[in-house]
Amino acid sequence: MLQIKQIKKTYKTGDLVQHALKGVDLNLRDNEFVAILGPSGSGKTTLLNIIGGLDRYDSGDLIINGISTKKYKDKDWDSYRNHTVGFVFQSYNLIPHQTVLSNVELALTISGISKSERREKALKALEEVGLREQAHKKPNQMSGGQMQRVAIARALVNDPDILLADEPTGALDSETSVQVMDLLQEVAKKRLVVMVTHNPELAEEYATRIVKVKDGNIIDDSNPFVVDASAVGQEQHKNMGKLSMSFLTSLSLSFNNLMTKKTRTLLTAFAGSIGIIGIALILALSTGVNSYIENIQKDTMTSYPISIDAKSFDLSDIMGSGMDPNSENEKVNHDKDKVYSNGTQIETASKMATSITENNLTPFKKYLDNPNSEIHKYVGDVGIVYSYDVKFDAFAYDKNGALVNTDGSTLSVGNNSNLSAMNSMMEARNSMVGSSLSVSNDTFQQLMPGKNNELVSDVVKDSYEMVHGNWPKSENDVVLVLNKNNEIPLTALYALGLLPSEDYQDLMDSVENDDNFKAKQYDFDYDKITEQKFYVVPSSDYYVSNGDGTFSYIGDDESEVKKLLKNAEELNISGIIRPKEDASNANLTGAIGYTQALSNKVTKHAKESAVVKAQLKSPDVNVLNGLAFEPDNDKEKIADAKKYIENLNVSDKAALIKTISATSGQSNMMSMDSMSEVQLASLLDSYMQNPDDEVLLSIYNNSISSGSYDDNMTAFGYVSEDKPSSISIYADSFEDKDMISECIEKYNEGVSDENKITYTDFVKVLMSSVTTIINVITYVLIAFVAVSLVVSSIMIGIITYISVLERTKEIGILRAIGASKRNVSQVFTAETFIIGLCSGLIGVGTACLLLIPGNAIIHSLLGTTDVSAYLPVSNALVLIALSVILTLIGGLFPSKAAAKQDPVTSLRSE
Ligand code: ADP
Ligand code: MG
């Protein structure tokens, strides 16, 4: 039962005030068919909308089943419309992009009823209007009458108490009108039907009650209903149930809507994706460039470590200043009127002198060995490499069976000035490259060891290609190092015994004397050249025990050396390597690369050798001559000299007495010349009965080299682990490298002056400009990304707003069948979500496709495949999420606006 009490409604449009309803009183029974008749503009629709809760009355009251609606909130009205009222409109108001079935289901969808139940109820409602068979058609595939019957089915699907129909036959011909009216009459048997109509005949024929309206007032009522006041108030407020629609439902609603306009959706999504494509491309490019830079950085860092040598030479200092001492200063502070002095040369010399520093690496190594030192946070993959001066010789036999020392010392070089100039150039180059490797000679060079005790670092493996054979598998394997053209220096071939050493002198002679000297070209098969063997002789092996606690050096006796070779470690050439075309770390200068494992073996061998053990046992006495190391007082020196002379053999004694007489200026030279060695020796013995201290002291100083403990140990190839000859610290990035420098500065602050460390930072010298370029590029890219983002979100906002405008009618329909404001905005949120998702996917997909030709262009432009733009999966996901979020934000205001739309106005819109 509905009671309408003194309801007034005015519309204000600008200054014009329209009194649509001027205080209407009307009571409606629970079950009757009411027809409202009246001229156009008399307020019929307004009345109907107010009864249906679609429009609000200004004053008066609408009492539903005894409950006043004065205090109804939005959600009460929504629920009332959804559960109690069904609407039928003149223009059917079906949602065109939904099937008939979905249209009918809509009211149930909004109230969150399960899909199967929805289907069942909707089909039942369609059955009632006789259209069950047409359930899967789209509205535009039906006639007007059929559409109106679908609209009635939709109104009935929730089994409402009230059916409101606003000129349902207004757009139909008389025949179909009759069908619809029959249907409404049927419906009215069980519920209240209120129908607005222009057609008095139809009203007379079908309605049970006719109410006439004019100018906002009821002027006639064929069957008024007077409510017994005492019966009212007993009624309970019916629980109308909650309205809830899952986001999934809104998604499917919007998805259906979007599917009906696939091309348009695709285009809008594509438009929205342009920003995303831009960002994706920029990201891909910057990731590509960044990873390239990172690789370069890593390459550079592994090639140019921070290097600290026991004796160091600060290159950056000198490289920074003009290297050429003769260069005339550009800025002169004098006129050309007199003769002036130029101090450049001496200044440079001073700079050179002061840039040579000795570092005490022992305490610094202690600092590095401490795992708590801050510096470890910044050390890169390669880590810290300690190098020690390991002394060993490697010998080979040439094809004539002649023994050659691979350091070239056995070749009869003579005093060839060209060659020595060449050698010193090579040395200078080694120190410039900053190789961390300590090389015992030029031909043999240690390969950088890898991490986790790998024999050869990836740095080397990445820079050199294996031409033949394999990388070393044990410490006895070495590699032959070619240049880019598969060549080895001619001298190295002689030094390695690959060419007969006896030919070497001839070659040198022609170098010196032949004006048109042209070196002959030799070639070797890979298999042949790798047959060459080398024999390692650690320095300690040159010292053999004399049995009396002293040791003798046998290194200059070839037959002894050959004996040593029989038990020596044999080295095999396991592979031949050549620098890769684009290698950035191909800085091996020797012809043979050996592993640090070999160095370690030699070091260990030295440590266990008899001579080292003996010297370690007697740190005060030189095991080479049994004398104390350089005593600090003259008396001991004189005693040592006496002991030395006593142990000399006859010919040595004879030679010594001659020297003594010569230096003491005695004139019996002639007589001495005629004496035999034995006589001379006895002369010395007699002289020694009463020797002159001065003479003995000078003998000590001139003839007895007692050396120092450290010199001996170095000669024996003994390496003390806490005394590295150089330390190389590798970082993976510029930032880390800078932090390492900072850590060293901090270390320096904490130690005494003589323990301060000077280091060489090669990268700083070579790469400082690169970092600024990188930074500029990064900032430019960031700016592009920011602009793209703004453009993209504005675009998406506009697109959503257009969609809202387009779906105004649908919003009205949704509201009429009970959708709340939230439901409406949810539907639009769902739509923006889908568009955002599509935009994101299209954007990322398109970007990925564009990257294929893009990379081809980059590669051909740069002439290298090092820089490849690529979009990491994580970035792609972030971009899709970003697209969705931006679209949601862009669609937020439009969808809020959609929700706020007045349903009445929405329905009136076309
Ligand atoms: P009917 O349905 O009987 O033709 P309506 O109820 O639609 O009449 O309209 C009643 C009066 O109220 C008309 O004069 C109409 O111009 C006015 N009116 C209806 N809706 C609005 C509105 N949203 N804004 C301004 N005036 C309105
Ligand atoms: Mg009307």
Side-chain angles (χ1 to χ4, degrees):
M1 181 180 62
L2 279 179
Q3 292 167 273
I4 295 156
K5 284 192 173 160
Q6 275 304 308
I7 276 190
K8 287 182 181 160
K9 176 76 183 176
T10 17
Y11 291 109
K12 288 194 187 83
T13 8
D15 290 339
L16 185 73
V17 180
Q18 197 87 39
H19 297 281
L21 295 175
K22 300 172 178 166
V24 172
D25 280 304
L26 184 67
N27 295 333
L28 298 168
R29 296 177 187 85
D30 283 344
N31 187 356
E32 61 179 337
F33 191 166
V34 184
I36 297 178
L37 280 171
S40 184
S42 57
K44 305 183 294 293
T45 302
T46 309
L47 180 60
L48 205 67
N49 285 345
I50 285 174
I51 294 172
L54 210 53
D55 211 349
R56 301 284 172 277
Y57 49 84
D58 294 341
S59 64
D61 198 0
L62 172 68
I63 299 165
I64 305 165
N65 293 330
I67 310 283
S68 165
T69 57
K70 271 182 179 161
K71 289 189 175 141
Y72 261 34
K73 303 214 169 57
D74 274 354
K75 71 165 202 258
D76 295 313
W77 286 117
D78 293 339
S79 179
Y80 167 65
R81 282 199 310 281
N82 189 259
H83 293 95
T84 314
V85 182
F87 271 100
V88 176
F89 307 93
Q90 177 182 355
S91 52
Y92 330 125
N93 281 346
L94 297 176
I95 297 173
H97 55 76
Q98 303 272 3
T99 62
V100 165
L101 187 63
S102 306
N103 264 292
V104 177
E105 276 181 4
L106 205 55
L108 301 171
T109 312
I110 290 164
S111 44
I113 287 166
S114 78
K115 189 166 182 165
S116 57
E117 195 182 340
R118 245 158 46 201
R119 175 118 327 166
E120 192 190 320
K121 283 192 170 178
L123 285 173
K124 196 168 149 255
L126 280 171
E127 176 126 50
E128 278 174 35
V129 301
L131 288 172
R132 196 193 161 105
E133 303 309 312
Q134 325 250 11
H136 294 286
K137 278 190 174 171
K138 284 280 171 63
N140 58 7
Q141 295 163 327
M142 303 181 105
S143 71
Q146 283 173 323
M147 281 198 271
Q148 196 58 294
R149 274 148 68 199
V150 172
I152 293 169
R154 179 179 65 186
L156 292 178
V157 73
N158 241 345
D159 195 20
D161 297 334
I162 306 162
L163 184 82
L164 303 175
D166 194 353
E167 303 190 31
T169 59
L172 301 176
D173 56 55
S174 52
E175 202 176 315
T176 30
S177 293
V178 170
Q179 283 177 13
V180 170
M181 289 311 293
D182 283 340
L183 189 58
L184 286 176
Q185 195 178 39
E186 187 65 31
V187 169
K189 281 180 183 162
K190 280 184 278 175
R191 44 177 77 74
L192 168 64
V193 173
V194 182
M195 178 186 73
V196 168
T197 182
H198 263 103
N199 191 329
E201 291 87 46
L202 282 180
E204 292 288 353
E205 195 181 339
Y206 289 94
T208 57
R209 180 180 172 187
I210 294 173
V211 176
K212 286 186 179 152
V213 182
K214 197 180 176 211
D215 292 338
N217 286 311
I218 292 178
I219 50 164
D220 187 39
D221 189 342
S222 70
N223 186 12
F225 174 39
V226 183
V227 178
D228 180 1
S230 63
V232 185
Q234 311 284 344
E235 312 251 3
Q236 290 295 308
H237 190 341
K238 191 171 158 194
N239 183 5
M240 304 207 195
K242 243 176 80 183
L243 284 176
S244 69
M245 178 167 62
S246 70
F247 190 65
L248 215 68
T249 309
S250 352
L251 273 182
S252 81
L253 266 180
S254 292
F255 183 72
N256 280 334
N257 170 40
L258 293 173
M259 283 304 280
T260 58
K261 18 185 192 177
K262 285 192 201 85
T263 334
R264 225 203 60 165
T265 308
L266 222 65
L267 280 174
T268 45
F270 183 72
S273 75
I274 287 172
I276 297 293
I277 294 173
I279 300 166
L281 287 179
I282 287 162
L283 266 179
L285 191 67
S286 78
T287 354
V289 170
N290 270 332
S291 74
Y292 170 70
I293 289 168
E294 222 164 79
N295 280 338
I296 291 273
Q297 276 193 10
K298 254 192 168 165
D299 274 7
T300 317
M301 293 300 147
T302 45
S303 164
Y304 302 98
I306 285 186
S307 149
I308 306 140
D309 295 320
K311 272 201 184 101
S312 98
F313 188 57
D314 190 356
L315 271 173
S316 60
D317 198 15
I318 297 165
M319 282 167 97
S321 71
M323 269 275 262
D324 185 3
N326 292 322
S327 71
E328 281 140 43
N329 218 335
E330 301 257 309
K331 283 180 226 144
V332 281
N333 53 2
H334 54 74
D335 294 326
K336 291 178 182 174
D337 54 344
K338 292 180 206 165
V339 177
Y340 292 92
S341 68
N342 181 330
T344 320
Q345 192 173 354
I346 205 155
E347 277 163 15
T348 310
S350 153
K351 218 170 238 171
M352 298 272 265
T354 51
S355 22
I356 295 169
T357 35
E358 288 200 26
N359 285 317
N360 187 357
L361 295 186
T362 310
F364 187 61
K365 180 163 189 281
K366 238 178 233 150
Y367 165 77
L368 292 179
D369 286 345
N370 179 359
N372 296 327
S373 298
E374 198 193 346
I375 201 164
H376 292 292
K377 277 191 275 182
Y378 311 109
V379 173
D381 283 348
V382 178
I384 303 174
V385 176
Y386 299 98
S387 297
Y388 299 92
D389 272 326
V390 189
K391 282 200 139 185
F392 70 85
D393 279 339
F395 288 94
Y397 291 102
D398 68 15
K399 64 173 184 232
N400 300 335
L403 188 65
V404 281
N405 188 336
T406 57
D407 65 2
S409 60
T410 48
L411 298 173
S412 37
V413 179
N415 49 0
N416 187 299
S417 55
N418 290 342
L419 265 183
S420 52
M422 238 155 77
N423 282 341
S424 55
M425 262 170 67
M426 287 285 281
E427 257 160 43
R429 194 181 150 204
N430 279 346
S431 68
M432 293 281 278
V433 168
S435 150
S436 66
L437 314 167
S438 155
V439 236
S440 62
N441 59 49
D442 282 337
T443 329
F444 268 61
Q445 185 170 13
Q446 185 180 288
L447 300 169
M448 183 185 281
K451 31 186 192 287
N452 313 324
N453 293 328
E454 279 168 36
L455 287 173
V456 182
S457 163
D458 285 342
V459 177
V460 181
K461 289 184 180 174
D462 287 346
S463 302
Y464 288 88
E465 59 186 318
M466 184 56 66
V467 181
H468 177 84
N470 299 301
W471 289 101
K473 291 198 175 73
S474 78
E475 66 262 21
N476 286 16
D477 287 342
V478 296
V479 287
L480 188 68
V481 186
L482 308 180
N483 70 8
K484 280 184 185 174
N485 303 321
N486 267 38
E487 295 162 344
I488 297 179
L490 201 50
T491 42
L493 286 171
Y494 286 104
L496 293 175
L498 292 164
L499 291 172
S501 56
E502 59 183 38
D503 296 352
Y504 189 70
Q505 191 55 55
D506 297 344
L507 176 75
M508 284 306 111
D509 288 345
S510 22
V511 169
E512 288 269 275
N513 306 320
D514 194 343
D515 279 349
N516 299 314
F517 174 74
K518 195 99 176 66
K520 193 180 160 217
Q521 188 154 37
Y522 299 88
D523 54 64
F524 303 85
D525 286 340
Y526 292 148
D527 283 330
K528 270 262 144 33
I529 209 164
T530 51
E531 280 168 9
Q532 182 69 319
K533 303 271 181 271
F534 304 103
Y535 303 92
V536 174
V537 179
S539 303
S540 56
D541 281 8
Y542 289 131
Y543 298 90
V544 292
S545 175
N546 299 324
D548 60 353
T550 60
F551 290 79
S552 295
Y553 178 69
I554 52 144
D556 35 21
D557 183 339
E558 191 176 319
S559 63
E560 291 290 335
V561 171
K562 276 186 176 165
K563 262 189 237 161
L564 282 178
L565 293 192
K566 289 204 180 95
N567 297 319
E569 290 285 345
E570 188 180 287
L571 300 182
N572 304 302
I573 300 176
S574 67
I576 302 174
I577 59 174
R578 176 177 62 202
K580 285 183 181 166
E581 278 304 324
D582 53 352
S584 48
N585 295 312
N587 48 18
L588 290 174
T589 52
I592 292 288
Y594 62 90
T595 61
Q596 196 181 38
L598 179 65
S599 302
N600 293 342
K601 197 169 187 178
V602 172
T603 310
K604 199 169 159 231
H605 180 88
K607 211 179 254 174
E608 286 162 0
S609 67
V611 65
V612 166
K613 277 185 180 160
Q615 187 67 81
L616 278 172
K617 223 192 246 165
S618 61
D620 301 326
V621 179
N622 188 340
V623 293
L624 294 181
N625 51 22
L627 299 177
F629 286 118
E630 194 85 30
D632 19 317
N633 60 55
D634 288 352
K635 229 182 193 161
E636 279 181 47
K637 284 184 182 171
I638 292 164
D640 281 345
K642 278 183 182 163
K643 206 167 151 198
Y644 167 80
I645 292 165
E646 273 163 30
N647 290 332
L648 288 177
N649 59 29
V650 173
S651 57
D652 287 342
K653 279 185 180 175
L656 185 61
I657 189 70
K658 277 186 184 170
T659 328
I660 293 171
S661 66
T663 48
S664 57
Q666 285 171 15
S667 54
N668 52 354
M669 288 267 271
M670 289 294 285
S671 60
M672 265 192 182
D673 281 345
S674 58
M675 283 163 129
S676 73
E677 281 197 339
V678 182
Q679 284 172 312
L680 284 168
S682 59
L683 191 63
L684 181 70
D685 286 340
S686 63
Y687 174 76
M688 287 305 289
Q689 302 299 321
N690 187 19
D692 181 358
D693 279 358
E694 286 292 314
V695 173
L696 285 180
L697 207 55
S698 86
I699 289 174
Y700 183 92
N701 286 336
N702 292 327
S703 313
I704 309 169
S705 98
S706 66
S708 74
Y709 176 82
D710 286 342
D711 287 347
N712 268 15
M713 282 312 225
T714 309
F716 302 156
Y718 177 79
V719 169
S720 167
E721 225 158 88
D722 59 351
K723 276 187 195 152
S725 63
S726 85
I727 300 175
S728 300
I729 305 173
Y730 293 91
D732 282 346
S733 70
F734 288 105
E735 288 78 14
D736 284 354
K737 189 217 67 183
D738 288 343
M739 288 314 290
I740 288 173
S741 302
E742 227 163 80
C743 287
I744 297 175
E745 299 299 340
K746 263 187 219 157
Y747 165 85
N748 277 344
E749 276 167 28
V751 295
S752 60
D753 274 352
E754 71 263 22
N755 283 345
K756 287 200 196 314
I757 295 295
T758 352
Y759 59 91
T760 311
D761 185 352
F762 292 99
V763 184
K764 207 174 183 175
V765 184
L766 300 169
M767 300 292 277
S768 56
S769 60
V770 176
T771 20
T772 30
I773 293 170
I774 292 167
N775 285 341
V776 168
I777 292 172
T778 313
Y779 291 137
V780 169
L781 290 182
I782 286 171
F784 270 119
V785 168
V787 171
S788 302
L789 276 178
V790 172
V791 170
S792 176
S793 42
I794 290 173
M795 181 98 91
I796 283 157
I798 292 169
I799 289 162
T800 316
Y801 190 67
I802 292 170
S803 177
V804 168
L805 289 183
E806 225 182 42
R807 291 175 76 183
T808 303
K809 189 73 174 261
E810 193 181 332
I811 296 168
I813 298 166
L814 282 171
R815 292 302 303 273
I817 61 173
S820 64
K821 288 180 179 177
R822 242 191 85 232
N823 293 149
V824 171
S825 71
Q826 200 177 320
V827 168
F828 281 90
T829 310
E831 182 168 325
T832 45
F833 178 83
I834 292 172
I835 292 184
L837 195 67
C838 289
S839 297
L841 289 172
I842 292 174
V844 168
T846 315
C848 287
L849 286 178
L850 285 177
L851 282 180
I852 299 169
N855 272 330
I857 292 170
I858 292 172
H859 291 166
S860 75
L861 275 182
L862 298 181
T864 164
T865 52
D866 285 352
V867 187
S868 283
Y870 69 96
L871 193 64
V873 177
S874 59
N875 282 10
L877 293 180
V878 167
L879 276 181
I880 293 171
L882 187 76
S883 167
V884 170
I885 290 167
L886 280 180
T887 327
L888 286 180
I889 292 172
L892 196 66
F893 300 102
S895 72
K896 276 271 174 303
K900 273 205 194 117
Q901 272 188 10
D902 179 16
V904 181
T905 326
S906 310
L907 282 172
R908 277 178 203 264
S909 77
E910 269 315 316

